[in-house]
Amino acid sequence: MAESESQKGNYDNRGNKVQNFKTDMEELLEKMEELTVHAAWMAYDCVPTHTNPDLHKAVQHLEDAFLMCKEQLEKKWQEVLME
């Protein structure tokens, strides 16, 4: 009787390990899919930059303008908070 209880415990333990393994694998596969999509978009974004050098300059100009606007908004927000 002690053997059957021990075997049942081992079986339950194995079942838990299998379920944990499946869950871990699903999480890893999901993360890999996310990374793959991210890498694909990075590659997609690089192609136009290499084929059209002016595009890089335009994007840099937009980024600079965005940062200046963001800075001004933060200053105005601080002024509003001080009032």
Side-chain angles (χ1 to χ4, degrees), residues 13-49:
N13 197 17
R14 239 182 286 148
N16 289 338
K17 285 182 181 180
V18 169
Q19 185 59 39
N20 291 342
F21 176 75
K22 286 181 181 179
T23 304
D24 291 345
M25 287 301 292
E26 288 173 359
E27 290 174 2
L28 287 171
L29 286 173
E30 187 175 319
K31 186 65 176 174
M32 285 176 60
E33 288 173 1
E34 290 174 10
L35 291 171
T36 301
V37 169
H38 186 70
W41 276 110
M42 286 175 61
Y44 179 80
D45 289 342
C46 286
V47 170
T49 303

